[in-house]
């Protein structure tokens, strides 16, 4: 691999010397991809390197007006976006249907399962409401002037302009019902998320109620879901290359000072909303249902929160979360073994909050004031995509594209958010894990028979 990287860098230097800048860029991008696939450093550091290289190259192109290089960056970045979009629909269908089907018998589904899902939906709804209220109050991206840059213009802008103030909620819901009843496979092919979620829930409930007769189908879905997640893992490994291309194109067309200013405002809104949800809303939910004080709660799960912060993965944190709730909060194993794995699949408070804020932020950049109906669409789609988001690093990077496109905004605008996605992913994951632990505690306190 080292020989291939050295050869790629040498080829890049030769092409620069010959004045073939477009070819030099592509050669360097391919070399960087080889480095990312072979290096033993963490994905976080690789993305940081990709961001730094993208900023450096973008500044060179911007300051020297190397427009043809800036042009070739755009398709490379879009290929990465399309790679992420390719598997969103099957990922959500398989994730939700398998999660529900694995919940056990119909009686368990009706008792612990219904309460668990209800609490997960409650905490996610509170997270999205927090995000929408905060982003509307602060309005990051307002009067930014970013719309005048080449990154946000062209066909991307034309699509955004068609959305006006976003879709009408009634029309959106009616269309969704039609899509579910007429041809759910068409919704799967076209990535319409709400019909996919509805079909996935029906399929999961049906398989759960079939018992052993549905076991083979559940195992098959599990296998397909594992395969999809494996492919997503490949694509995520290429995230540093996608970030390099998207950030390079962004910096080459937008003044760096404007980017820093508005991304800082966006980051503060996301961080503030997530912190409020994690430090105020979730502890209050736990106190209301169980009587456990916020300080006692946070002290009991602090180890799980630390692991969530460092790994950015709800799935990777699951063993630590399980130990914390069982040993420190007294949650019976029967409850924790059911609630927490399900939460790592369907409960993504921080991700849903982030997606809602991102949609309004991007709309503000385009000068679009989303109507109440459009923001309700954002509310529904953010919750639906968060439910189907995998518990892996950068899951929000994948699903936020769907939320943007649900209100007529271009998914390519996610390239503007990728520069700070990994930092925000750490705090999002902490909120996700805290929500899992609190729901497990609430379900355990309501199930006295579970302790026996």
């Amino acid at each position: 691999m080292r020989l291939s990287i050295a050869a790629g860098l040498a080829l890049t230097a030769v092409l620069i010397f010959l004045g073939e800048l477009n070819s030099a860029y592509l050669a360097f991008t391919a070399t960087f991809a080889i480095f990312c696939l072979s290096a033993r450093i963490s994905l976080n550091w690789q993305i940081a390197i990709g961001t730094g290289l993208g900023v450096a190259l973008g500044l060179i192109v911007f300051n020297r007006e190397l427009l043809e290089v800036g042009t070739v960056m755009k398709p490379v970045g879009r290929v990465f976006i399309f790679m992420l979009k390719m598997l969103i629909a099957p990922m959500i269908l398989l994730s939700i249907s398998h999660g529900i089907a694995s919940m056990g018998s119909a009686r368990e589904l009706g008792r612990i399962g219904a309460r668990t899902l209800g609490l997960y939906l409650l905490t996610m709804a509170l997270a999205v409401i927090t995000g929408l209220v905060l982003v509307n109050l602060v309005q990051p991206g307002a009067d930014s002037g970013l719309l005048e840059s080449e990154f946000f213009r062209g066909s991307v802008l034309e699509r955004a302009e068609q959305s006006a103030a976003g879709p009408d909620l009634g029309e959106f819901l009616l269309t969704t019902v039609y899509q579910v009843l007429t041809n759910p496979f068409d919704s799967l092919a076209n990535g319409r998320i709400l019909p996919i979620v509805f079909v996935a829930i029906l399929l999961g409930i049906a398989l759960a109620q079939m018992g052993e007769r549905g076991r083979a189908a559940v195992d098959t879905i599990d296998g397909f879901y594992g395969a999809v997640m494996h492919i997503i893992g490949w694509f995520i490994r290429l995230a540093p290359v996608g970030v390099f291309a998207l950030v390079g194109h962004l910096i080459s067309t937008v003044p760096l000072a404007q980017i820093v200013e508005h991304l800082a405002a966006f980051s503060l809104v996301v961080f503030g909303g997530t912190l409020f949800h994690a430090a105020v809303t979730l502890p209050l939910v736990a106190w209301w249902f169980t009587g456990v004080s916020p300080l006692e709660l946070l002290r009991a799960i602090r180890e799980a929160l630390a692991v969530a912060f460092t790994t950015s993965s709800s799935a990777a944190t699951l063993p630590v979360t399980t130990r914390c709730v069982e040993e420190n909060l007294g949650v019976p194993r029967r409850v924790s073994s059911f609630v927490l794995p399900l939460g790592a699949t369907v409960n993504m408070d921080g991700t849903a909050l982030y997606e809602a804020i991102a949609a309004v932020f991007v709309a503000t950049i385009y000068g679009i004031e989303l109507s109440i109906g459009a923001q309700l669409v954002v509310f529904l789609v953010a919750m639906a995509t968060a439910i189907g988001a995998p518990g892996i690093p950068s899951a929000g990077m994948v699903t936020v594209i769907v939320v943007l496109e649900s209100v007529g905004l271009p998914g390519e605008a996610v390239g503007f958010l990728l520069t700070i996605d990994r930092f925000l992913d750490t705090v999002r994951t902490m909120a996700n894990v805290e929500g899992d632990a609190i729901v497990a505690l609430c379900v355990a306190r309501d199930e006295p028979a579970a302790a026996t």
Side-chain angles (χ1 to χ4, degrees), residues 185-196:
F185 294 101
D186 182 63
S187 297
L188 183 64
N190 289 282
R192 302 185 186 107
I193 297 304
L194 285 187
I196 293 172

PDB file of all heavy atoms in Angstrom, residues 185-196:
ATOM      1  N   PHE A 185     -43.574  -0.843  -2.992  1.00  0.00           N
ATOM      2  CA  PHE A 185     -42.285  -1.095  -3.633  1.00  0.00           C
ATOM      3  C   PHE A 185     -41.810   0.125  -4.427  1.00  0.00           C
ATOM      4  O   PHE A 185     -40.616   0.366  -4.561  1.00  0.00           O
ATOM      5  CB  PHE A 185     -42.380  -2.324  -4.536  1.00  0.00           C
ATOM      6  CG  PHE A 185     -42.625  -3.597  -3.781  1.00  0.00           C
ATOM      7  CD1 PHE A 185     -43.899  -4.141  -3.721  1.00  0.00           C
ATOM      8  CD2 PHE A 185     -41.603  -4.240  -3.109  1.00  0.00           C
ATOM      9  CE1 PHE A 185     -44.142  -5.307  -3.016  1.00  0.00           C
ATOM     10  CE2 PHE A 185     -41.827  -5.403  -2.393  1.00  0.00           C
ATOM     11  CZ  PHE A 185     -43.104  -5.941  -2.349  1.00  0.00           C
ATOM     12  N   ASP A 186     -42.778   0.880  -4.969  1.00  0.00           N
ATOM     13  CA  ASP A 186     -42.414   2.111  -5.662  1.00  0.00           C
ATOM     14  C   ASP A 186     -41.828   3.124  -4.683  1.00  0.00           C
ATOM     15  O   ASP A 186     -40.877   3.825  -4.998  1.00  0.00           O
ATOM     16  CB  ASP A 186     -43.653   2.699  -6.354  1.00  0.00           C
ATOM     17  CG  ASP A 186     -43.324   3.969  -7.129  1.00  0.00           C
ATOM     18  OD1 ASP A 186     -42.524   3.886  -8.083  1.00  0.00           O
ATOM     19  OD2 ASP A 186     -43.851   5.039  -6.769  1.00  0.00           O
ATOM     20  N   SER A 187     -42.395   3.185  -3.460  1.00  0.00           N
ATOM     21  CA  SER A 187     -41.843   4.068  -2.437  1.00  0.00           C
ATOM     22  C   SER A 187     -40.436   3.649  -2.052  1.00  0.00           C
ATOM     23  O   SER A 187     -39.551   4.479  -1.849  1.00  0.00           O
ATOM     24  CB  SER A 187     -42.737   4.051  -1.190  1.00  0.00           C
ATOM     25  OG  SER A 187     -44.028   4.560  -1.484  1.00  0.00           O
ATOM     26  N   LEU A 188     -40.206   2.335  -1.987  1.00  0.00           N
ATOM     27  CA  LEU A 188     -38.865   1.833  -1.670  1.00  0.00           C
ATOM     28  C   LEU A 188     -37.886   2.207  -2.769  1.00  0.00           C
ATOM     29  O   LEU A 188     -36.756   2.635  -2.494  1.00  0.00           O
ATOM     30  CB  LEU A 188     -38.916   0.312  -1.489  1.00  0.00           C
ATOM     31  CG  LEU A 188     -37.613  -0.368  -1.084  1.00  0.00           C
ATOM     32  CD1 LEU A 188     -37.169   0.102   0.292  1.00  0.00           C
ATOM     33  CD2 LEU A 188     -37.780  -1.891  -1.096  1.00  0.00           C
ATOM     34  N   ALA A 189     -38.312   2.087  -4.020  1.00  0.00           N
ATOM     35  CA  ALA A 189     -37.431   2.400  -5.143  1.00  0.00           C
ATOM     36  C   ALA A 189     -37.110   3.888  -5.212  1.00  0.00           C
ATOM     37  O   ALA A 189     -36.006   4.276  -5.617  1.00  0.00           O
ATOM     38  CB  ALA A 189     -38.071   1.942  -6.459  1.00  0.00           C
ATOM     39  N   ASN A 190     -38.059   4.727  -4.786  1.00  0.00           N
ATOM     40  CA  ASN A 190     -37.869   6.170  -4.890  1.00  0.00           C
ATOM     41  C   ASN A 190     -37.476   6.819  -3.570  1.00  0.00           C
ATOM     42  O   ASN A 190     -37.398   8.048  -3.496  1.00  0.00           O
ATOM     43  CB  ASN A 190     -39.152   6.819  -5.428  1.00  0.00           C
ATOM     44  CG  ASN A 190     -39.399   6.502  -6.889  1.00  0.00           C
ATOM     45  OD1 ASN A 190     -38.779   7.093  -7.773  1.00  0.00           O
ATOM     46  ND2 ASN A 190     -40.281   5.549  -7.156  1.00  0.00           N
ATOM     47  N   GLY A 191     -37.248   6.013  -2.536  1.00  0.00           N
ATOM     48  CA  GLY A 191     -36.748   6.550  -1.276  1.00  0.00           C
ATOM     49  C   GLY A 191     -37.734   7.406  -0.516  1.00  0.00           C
ATOM     50  O   GLY A 191     -37.328   8.346   0.173  1.00  0.00           O
ATOM     51  N   ARG A 192     -39.044   7.099  -0.603  1.00  0.00           N
ATOM     52  CA  ARG A 192     -40.033   7.856   0.161  1.00  0.00           C
ATOM     53  C   ARG A 192     -40.113   7.259   1.570  1.00  0.00           C
ATOM     54  O   ARG A 192     -40.623   6.152   1.749  1.00  0.00           O
ATOM     55  CB  ARG A 192     -41.394   7.802  -0.528  1.00  0.00           C
ATOM     56  CG  ARG A 192     -41.366   8.335  -1.975  1.00  0.00           C
ATOM     57  CD  ARG A 192     -42.760   8.373  -2.562  1.00  0.00           C
ATOM     58  NE  ARG A 192     -42.737   8.726  -3.962  1.00  0.00           N
ATOM     59  CZ  ARG A 192     -42.969   7.861  -4.959  1.00  0.00           C
ATOM     60  NH1 ARG A 192     -43.241   6.598  -4.686  1.00  0.00           N
ATOM     61  NH2 ARG A 192     -42.923   8.260  -6.210  1.00  0.00           N
ATOM     62  N   ILE A 193     -39.643   8.000   2.546  1.00  0.00           N
ATOM     63  CA  ILE A 193     -39.346   7.410   3.844  1.00  0.00           C
ATOM     64  C   ILE A 193     -40.573   7.036   4.646  1.00  0.00           C
ATOM     65  O   ILE A 193     -40.664   5.931   5.198  1.00  0.00           O
ATOM     66  CB  ILE A 193     -38.440   8.359   4.651  1.00  0.00           C
ATOM     67  CG1 ILE A 193     -37.115   8.528   3.911  1.00  0.00           C
ATOM     68  CG2 ILE A 193     -38.192   7.809   6.048  1.00  0.00           C
ATOM     69  CD1 ILE A 193     -36.385   7.233   3.625  1.00  0.00           C
ATOM     70  N   LEU A 194     -41.571   7.929   4.759  1.00  0.00           N
ATOM     71  CA  LEU A 194     -42.724   7.615   5.603  1.00  0.00           C
ATOM     72  C   LEU A 194     -43.487   6.371   5.138  1.00  0.00           C
ATOM     73  O   LEU A 194     -43.852   5.529   5.973  1.00  0.00           O
ATOM     74  CB  LEU A 194     -43.654   8.825   5.693  1.00  0.00           C
ATOM     75  CG  LEU A 194     -43.160   9.970   6.585  1.00  0.00           C
ATOM     76  CD1 LEU A 194     -44.245  11.028   6.724  1.00  0.00           C
ATOM     77  CD2 LEU A 194     -42.746   9.475   7.964  1.00  0.00           C
ATOM     78  N   PRO A 195     -43.752   6.198   3.838  1.00  0.00           N
ATOM     79  CA  PRO A 195     -44.370   4.929   3.424  1.00  0.00           C
ATOM     80  C   PRO A 195     -43.505   3.721   3.766  1.00  0.00           C
ATOM     81  O   PRO A 195     -44.024   2.675   4.162  1.00  0.00           O
ATOM     82  CB  PRO A 195     -44.521   5.093   1.903  1.00  0.00           C
ATOM     83  CG  PRO A 195     -44.579   6.562   1.679  1.00  0.00           C
ATOM     84  CD  PRO A 195     -43.660   7.149   2.704  1.00  0.00           C
ATOM     85  N   ILE A 196     -42.196   3.863   3.642  1.00  0.00           N
ATOM     86  CA  ILE A 196     -41.293   2.757   3.973  1.00  0.00           C
ATOM     87  C   ILE A 196     -41.390   2.420   5.456  1.00  0.00           C
ATOM     88  O   ILE A 196     -41.441   1.245   5.852  1.00  0.00           O
ATOM     89  CB  ILE A 196     -39.843   3.116   3.590  1.00  0.00           C
ATOM     90  CG1 ILE A 196     -39.713   3.226   2.070  1.00  0.00           C
ATOM     91  CG2 ILE A 196     -38.860   2.080   4.123  1.00  0.00           C
ATOM     92  CD1 ILE A 196     -38.377   3.765   1.606  1.00  0.00           C
TER      93      ILE A 196
END
